[in-house]
Amino acid sequence: MRAAYDQQIPPHVTVVSEGAPADFLHVVVEGMVELFASTQGREATMAVVRPVSTFILAACVRDAPYLMSARTLQRSRLLLVPSENVRAAVATDSRFALNAMQDLAGCYRGLVRHTKNLKLRNTRERIAAYLLRQSRLIGDAPGFTLPVEKRLIASYMGMTPENLSRAFKSLAADGCKIDGQRVIITDRVRLEALAGLSLLLDGPDPDASAAGVSLPLPEAS
Amino acid sequence: MRAAYDQQIPPHVTVVSEGAPADFLHVVVEGMVELFASTQGREATMAVVRPVSTFILAACVRDAPYLMSARTLQRSRLLLVPSENVRAAVATDSRFALNAMQDLAGCYRGLVRHTKNLKLRNTRERIAAYLLRQSRLIGDAPGFTLPVEKRLIASYMGMTPENLSRAFKSLAADGCKIDGQRVIITDRVRLEALAGLSLLLDGPDPDASAAGVSLPLPEAS
DNA sequence: CAAATGGCTTGATTCAGATCAAGTCTCTCG
DNA sequence: CGAGAGACTTGATCTGAATCAAGCCATTTG
């Protein structure tokens, strides 16, 4: 920690570029950071990190290049811990290692869920599942506010903003009303049926999503 | 290890079902194991594990339910280590913990790559990238043999066998000839261009794929 | 050895989702 | 306050990939 840098970063600043060597472990202390990947024009949101969580721990541990880029979505406070110090801590402090491992395992499981989602469900089902999960994470409240921009949700879910918009509208017929940022689940049973039940796929343990990776929690309302 | 079970398993046997509690860490000593996920009829291959590698380490570490199922593709020899022993070893043996962490980080990075692939490339590009990566993993040999059934490759890559077949055929025009199990890269430059350059996306470190997760290595020929 | 099974290919057709093209609304900023 | 920018929506159209339907081939099995 003594070697770490504490930084205030304005919104919309890219703080990590994929391909670069993993010099620092990043910790989001305040604000919100998007992890994304891009190739020749195309771009995909991989996760959104909220306080207090780390990102690119895996690259640090392996001393390998970053696989994702990161940019701030809001003004954010980041703690940058030099990778060598992280690796030293992992090697000498077994409690640190244990916690790092839990974090890593959580990230992995979060990504497994995300990938299953992409491969096994179509757009409407993915959205239904997402909304249900959001609702569950705040205690099964039927109403809540979307925590990030829709275009970001669309990218994370592997679809275009246009299709997200259409899907949102069409969900009215399946138990969920979306108006602007406001979401109201009107018929949970119906929505769950659409999502392809199997909340096994999304639950019961929140894993990484509780830790702040994947997409942020909504606010109940 | 003293508490572990050493088992010979016939082909096509499901040894792990998603949703079940993670009672054992599995180690593939011989053979080949497919990790897959399914919901209501649909099914997706998530990875193929080859010796010597572990699977479902993350579930063990977190003491959480399995997120994937596992079945043998061939007659296989598996070592089942009770999860509690794994967690005990992690807690007491810092070298063990360190290695487990490396493994976990490798799996995570492998999955990040896979997900980027799914989100950023279309079917032909994914296949081109896959073939190039296979070639690279055996030392840039232009010719090799596909290591698993095509239907499995198709599922792993998130497409139907029909489309994989068509894509393979169409790649003849882009620098790669596939005949049965045999692959010959005739024009690497062209194929790389199609794959969307960015071998950043797939390299340079092999991470998990070297460790035996993702899809198996091909055989040079 | 004939039948069956399962993987693979091929063609025809369909459809989910992408793309293209406006247009609206909100928020910011000069 | 008016202009501009960016997010979002909506409709029309296009297209990549899925689905459906045979047929082929190799391997297994009775």
Side-chain angles (χ1 to χ4, degrees), chain A residues 127-158:
Chain A
I127 293 169
Y130 169 71
L131 294 174
L132 284 166
R133 150 168 279 251
Q134 291 292 92
S135 166
R136 193 163 45 72
L137 288 176
I138 54 170
D140 286 325
F144 56 89
T145 305
L146 293 175
V148 290
E149 289 178 338
K150 290 182 183 175
R151 44 174 286 281
L152 221 148
I153 296 176
S155 176
Y156 180 67
M157 309 267 277

Side-chain angles (χ1 to χ4, degrees), chain A residues 122-123 159-160 162-163 166:
Chain A
N122 64 25
T123 45
M159 65 189 74
T160 59
E162 290 96 322
N163 269 336
R166 277 186 267 268

Side-chain angles (χ1 to χ4, degrees), chain B residues 60-74:
Chain B
C60 269
V61 166
R62 296 218 123 217
D63 196 10
Y66 298 130
L67 291 180
M68 299 184 273
S69 302
R71 66 165 83 98
T72 53
L73 290 174
Q74 311 169 342

